[in-house]
């Protein structure tokens, strides 16, 4: 699912519980990261839960390829939304995206605990920092 499909789906749901269930389902669909990739350098600092993130550039397409995982279901669902936002983008496109603002527009941030909100920010910042290396 791309980010537009996710936004449309979440916006069509009424109530936080329905959105929460959908986010959990998105996390369930995210492939598990092999244990060998769950390294200390892949761990995102600033998250309450463990979040591992790997970002690369497809040399042929010059588009971002991002994979990740988390040890909690809700964070894995939030991560799925973030990955859908940035995956397959050109680096300069990714730099212009404010995924945190997207979360606010979808009404998700106000329902997350402050530590979860900070975790979302940390994941986004990690992606933006790594994207800068490709430019």
């Amino acid at each position: 699912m791309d980010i537009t499909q996710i936004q449309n789906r979440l916006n069509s749901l009424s109530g936080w519980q329905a959105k929460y269930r959908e986010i959990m389902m998105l996390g369930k669909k995210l492939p598990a990261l092999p244990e060998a990739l769950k390294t200390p350098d892949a761990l995102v600092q600033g998250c309450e839960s463990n979040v591992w993130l790997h970002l690369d550039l497809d040399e042929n397409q010059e588009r971002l390829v991002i994979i990740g995982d988390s040890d909690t279901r809700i964070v894995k669902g939030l991560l799925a939304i973030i990955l859908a936002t940035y995956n397959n983008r050109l680096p300069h496109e990714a730099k212009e995206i404010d995924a945190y603002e997207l979360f606010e527009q979808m009404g998700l941030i106000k329902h997350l605990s402050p530590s979860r909100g900070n975790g979302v920010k940390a994941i986004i910042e990690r992606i933006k920092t790594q994207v800068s290396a490709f430019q």
Side-chain angles (χ1 to χ4, degrees):
M1 239 194 261
D2 69 24
I3 190 58
T4 304
Q5 292 170 315
I6 291 171
Q7 281 179 290
N8 290 339
R9 177 73 181 136
L10 289 174
N11 290 337
S12 73
L13 299 171
S14 60
W16 172 241
Q17 289 302 322
K19 289 181 183 193
Y20 187 85
R21 280 192 300 278
E22 184 64 24
I23 293 168
M24 297 285 270
M25 291 306 294
L26 289 169
K28 219 173 190 179
K29 293 176 186 174
L30 196 64
L33 203 60
E35 288 300 316
L37 294 178
K38 293 181 179 178
T39 60
D41 61 323
L43 208 52
V44 177
Q45 299 302 311
C47 291
E48 184 177 286
S49 304
N50 288 321
V51 175
W52 298 271
L53 198 62
H54 289 274
L55 190 142
D56 207 348
L57 188 66
D58 178 322
E59 297 291 329
N60 296 328
Q61 306 271 328
E62 295 184 8
R63 296 196 176 266
L64 297 175
V65 177
I66 310 170
I67 58 172
D69 202 352
S70 177
D71 60 356
T72 59
R73 292 187 307 181
I74 186 63
V75 175
K76 193 167 180 170
L78 297 169
L79 180 61
I81 297 170
I82 295 169
L83 296 183
T85 303
Y86 289 104
N87 254 325
N88 206 32
R89 301 274 187 172
L90 295 169
H92 73 273
E93 292 174 335
K95 274 192 100 166
E96 300 302 314
I97 297 170
D98 185 348
Y100 192 81
E101 175 64 29
L102 211 66
F103 271 69
E104 286 182 329
Q105 289 171 5
M106 289 187 284
L108 303 180
I109 293 298
K110 67 182 178 187
H111 292 288
L112 299 178
S113 68
S115 61
R116 292 271 190 249
N118 287 336
V120 167
K121 280 183 186 175
I123 295 166
I124 294 167
E125 286 305 312
R126 172 83 175 258
I127 290 171
K128 291 216 175 242
T129 299
Q130 289 185 318
V131 163
S132 295
F134 294 128
Q135 294 200 317

